[in-house]
Amino acid sequence: MPLVRIDAMGTAGARLDALGRAVHDALVETAGFPPDDRFQILTGHDGTRSTLRYDDHLGVHRDEGIVYVALTMRAGRTVEQKTALYRRIAELAQEYAGTEPRNVFITLTENGPADWSLGNGEAQYVSSAPS
């Protein structure tokens, strides 16, 4: 089960929804998550009350179309799965939301079964099989 946080500049609800769908579809296609496993925090920033900062780094030019995608999931995916995931998120963000792939900045944080409570104050993954 991934927890997804997406932060984007100047984003209306439809674009945020499209970005959320792009990340979810990529997770299902490349990382083996089930289609009904969607937990997302989608935030648009207006540049006044909240904003995002960015620079050109490692030869990637970014602009006001920047989208930060933070993924938290249990450990276990290969490097190949992760790189396929990053590539697919960028492709689908462009297809669904018109976001240029150069503006899709992704981080992935992994943890273990005991690091999740899906409700009721229980650590559901401690006694169940990984998904």
Side-chain angles (χ1 to χ4, degrees):
M1 174 188 124
L3 174 63
V4 176
R5 179 177 179 127
I6 299 173
D7 289 88
M9 281 298 296
T11 301
R15 182 165 179 248
L16 277 174
D17 181 64
L19 291 166
R21 285 186 298 111
V23 172
H24 180 71
D25 288 354
L27 284 163
V28 170
E29 289 178 25
T30 65
F33 287 99
D36 67 345
D37 193 353
R38 183 188 319 241
F39 297 91
Q40 299 181 333
I41 303 162
L42 309 175
T43 307
H45 299 269
D46 64 8
T48 303
R49 291 177 293 177
S50 61
T51 194
L52 301 175
R53 300 283 186 235
Y54 53 88
D55 284 313
D56 294 349
H57 182 64
L58 296 177
V60 180
H61 172 69
R62 296 166 190 85
D63 59 31
E64 65 278 350
I66 188 80
V67 174
Y68 290 109
V69 178
L71 306 168
T72 303
M73 64 179 70
R74 291 188 299 152
R77 291 351 181 258
T78 66
V79 170
E80 293 77 19
Q81 285 175 303
K82 291 174 188 178
T83 56
L85 173 63
Y86 304 149
R87 184 173 34 260
R88 192 64 178 143
I89 289 172
E91 291 168 355
L92 292 177
Q94 183 173 35
E95 180 181 336
Y96 294 1
T99 300
E100 294 184 42
R102 65 184 171 83
N103 277 324
V104 180
F105 185 103
I106 304 167
T107 63
L108 191 152
T109 303
E110 295 181 309
N111 58 30
D115 298 315
W116 295 87
S117 173
L118 309 181
N120 296 321
E122 299 172 16
Q124 287 86 351
Y125 288 139
V126 172
S127 60
S128 65
S131 59

